[in-house]
DNA sequence: GAATGTGAACGTTTTCACAGCA
DNA sequence: TGCTGTGAAAACGTTCACATTC
């Protein structure tokens, strides 16, 4: 089964679309585990609560993966999406701030399963430094450049409290990190242009409180 | 200082705008703590990395809070945003799934500071049930309706692993919860129309792996 | 003069509707 | 006939530019 894949520039796909591609991928994984072989845009889109036309438009960013009149081959589409999403590669990350959030992150099942591996954990707490967690020694941040270099680390995860986020970000960039996932309640201003994704739990909670305040029936 | 506030329907504000309003609010808190009294749309918008015109348009959803030629009163605008975001109210929540993520959530500083209070923690693990954490006894899910009723709980936080998310969601709705924050790697299908916000750490990580795969220089 | 508030222009994302293919 | 892939249309969100107000 050969499909055209006309030198598309996957870097131009909007972030919203990427996030939906991941939803499709997850739904396909699920279908795959149930042994489903074929799926239509209608059925797959229903699984992830989007319109069928949107699913098809999203896929159109990437190529042509279906067969008119038939639908999509679950395994083939799943593989293609994994490829586009970079899930066929193993990625290494370091984590700064080994508090509750950092701990939860490292233990989070889904992350390991998707091929993301911790290669370094950093904290400023003297009591934590030197401890070993899941085979990784918790280090002082001064060891960061060495670890990033030695283990070919691309990703930095920031789970420090409050304002130390910025200085950690600076140090990660200096060490050679090119993409950051930021849980710190701070808007990072990177010295160099790199990719930053932020998760702000308070912000999501506030959408709830806004809803509750104004949607009383 | 009296401003018009012409019976606007805050429930119609798009979620993207709400999230930016929260950013403005956070930046204003920061200014307030530094003793700043007045701020212009230009300066405030720069703090949160948006265009001044966007900040003004966002505020236009809510009313008129500034003075032409002068700017905004920091304290006044901050208060108004807090009101719109529902941060002048105390909200009660319950949490299901007291693993790493649940633990991190309950301990997360920002949540408590913003007026969100835990009123119940649930887990299926026999060993955890009966333990007391920060004054809250960890219970079996069967106690949920009682606790929701007694403590006037509006929010449910789902931090269970994998697929038990859906059944927990059902039970929360049955118990009277009207807004859910979902960390489970599952798309919830609520039996009744309620507000659901999802945080998916894997999804955010995947935007990083996509970036790294296709932006090599 | 300075900075807000807003209609109009612009750009992006979603949806529609159907041509094209198995 | 059934379902994909895609232009065209609609909806939505952002930016511009300036009239308005202090």
């Amino acid at each position: 089964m050969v499909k055209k894949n006309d030198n598309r520039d996957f870097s131009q796909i909007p972030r919203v679309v990427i996030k939906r591609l991941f939803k499709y991928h997850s739904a396909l994984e699920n279908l795959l585990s149930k042994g489903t072989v074929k799926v239509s845009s209608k059925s797959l889109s229903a699984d992830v609560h989007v319109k069928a036309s949107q699913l098809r438009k999203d896929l159109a960013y990437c190529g042509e993966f279906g067969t008119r009149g038939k639908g999509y081959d679950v395994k083939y589409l799943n593989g293609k999406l994994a490829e586009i999403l970079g899930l066929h590669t193993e990625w290494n990350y370091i984590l700064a701030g080994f508090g509750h959030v950092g701990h939860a992150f490292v233990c989070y099942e889904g992350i390991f399963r998707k091929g993301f591996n911790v290669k370094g954990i950093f904290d400023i707490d003297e009591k934590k430094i030197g401890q070993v967690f899941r085979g990784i020694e918790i280090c002082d941040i001064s060891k960061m450049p060495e670890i990033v270099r030695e283990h070919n680390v691309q990703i930095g995860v920031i789970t420090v409290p409050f304002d130390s986020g910025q200085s950690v970000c600076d140090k990660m960039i200096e060490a050679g990190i090119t993409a950051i996932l930021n849980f710190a309640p701070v808007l990072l201003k990177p010295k160099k242009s790199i990719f930053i994704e932020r998760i702000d739990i308070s912000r999501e909670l506030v959408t709830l409180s806004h809803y509750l305040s104004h949607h009383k029936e």
Side-chain angles (χ1 to χ4, degrees), chain A:
Chain A
M1 193 194 304
V2 179
K3 299 280 172 183
K4 79 171 161 185
N5 189 337
D6 35 12
N7 282 58
R8 278 161 206 268
D9 184 357
F10 296 135
S11 69
Q12 297 308 305
I13 304 173
R15 274 198 212 191
V16 260
V17 175
I18 296 296
K19 295 192 179 177
R20 281 197 301 268
L21 291 180
F22 177 62
K23 288 189 184 178
Y24 307 146
H25 172 74
S26 304
L28 287 165
E29 292 267 275
N30 195 29
L31 290 177
L32 211 52
S33 76
K34 288 196 291 189
T36 313
V37 172
K38 282 275 176 189
V39 69
S40 70
S41 63
K42 193 176 172 187
S43 147
L44 180 57
S45 65
D47 287 354
V48 301
H49 299 179
V50 307
K51 291 235 155 57
S53 56
Q54 178 152 73
L55 162 54
R56 295 200 300 272
K57 253 289 191 291
D58 288 344
L59 294 181
Y61 277 99
C62 315
E64 296 185 16
F65 305 121
T67 314
R68 292 170 195 223
K70 295 289 181 183
Y72 303 91
D73 181 277
V74 173
K75 197 168 177 181
Y76 176 77
L77 183 56
N78 188 53
K80 279 296 178 186
L81 289 182
E83 195 184 316
I84 292 157
L85 293 171
L87 297 176
H88 280 163
T89 315
E90 296 265 315
W91 301 105
N92 298 326
Y93 74 90
I94 52 170
L95 182 138
F98 201 55
H100 295 298
V101 178
H103 197 268
F105 188 90
V106 174
C107 296
Y108 195 62
E109 270 269 23
I111 290 165
F112 177 72
R113 252 187 310 123
K114 292 233 154 47
F116 296 90
N117 310 304
V118 214
K119 294 295 178 181
I121 299 176
F122 303 92
D123 205 290
I124 44 164
D125 187 344
E126 297 280 331
K127 290 192 290 294
K128 290 178 187 165
I129 291 172
Q131 285 180 22
V132 175
F133 187 82
R134 300 205 167 180
I136 306 287
E137 188 187 340
I138 299 167
C139 298
D140 182 80
I141 202 159
S142 59
K143 288 238 180 103
M144 195 183 278
E146 188 187 325
I147 288 169
V148 168
R149 206 175 335 107
E150 274 180 16
H151 293 92
N152 188 31
V153 175
Q154 303 88 8
I155 296 172
V157 178
I158 301 180
T159 50
V160 299
F162 307 105
D163 300 339
S164 39
Q166 185 58 51
S167 73
V168 169
C169 169
D170 294 344
K171 292 221 174 72
M172 282 182 169
I173 290 175
E174 226 170 281
I177 290 296
T178 49
I180 285 178
L181 183 61
N182 177 31
F183 285 86
V186 157
L187 228 77
L188 301 177
K189 295 174 203 193
K191 301 272 186 279
K192 216 182 85 185
S193 169
I194 61 158
F195 188 91
I196 299 184
E197 186 73 45
R198 171 135 180 250
I199 295 179
D200 184 342
I201 293 162
S202 305
R203 184 217 291 156
E204 308 304 331
L205 257 179
V206 164
T207 66
L208 299 199
S209 70
H210 165 262
Y211 170 82
L212 290 166
S213 298
H214 303 289
H215 291 74
K216 301 199 181 81
E217 75 279 58

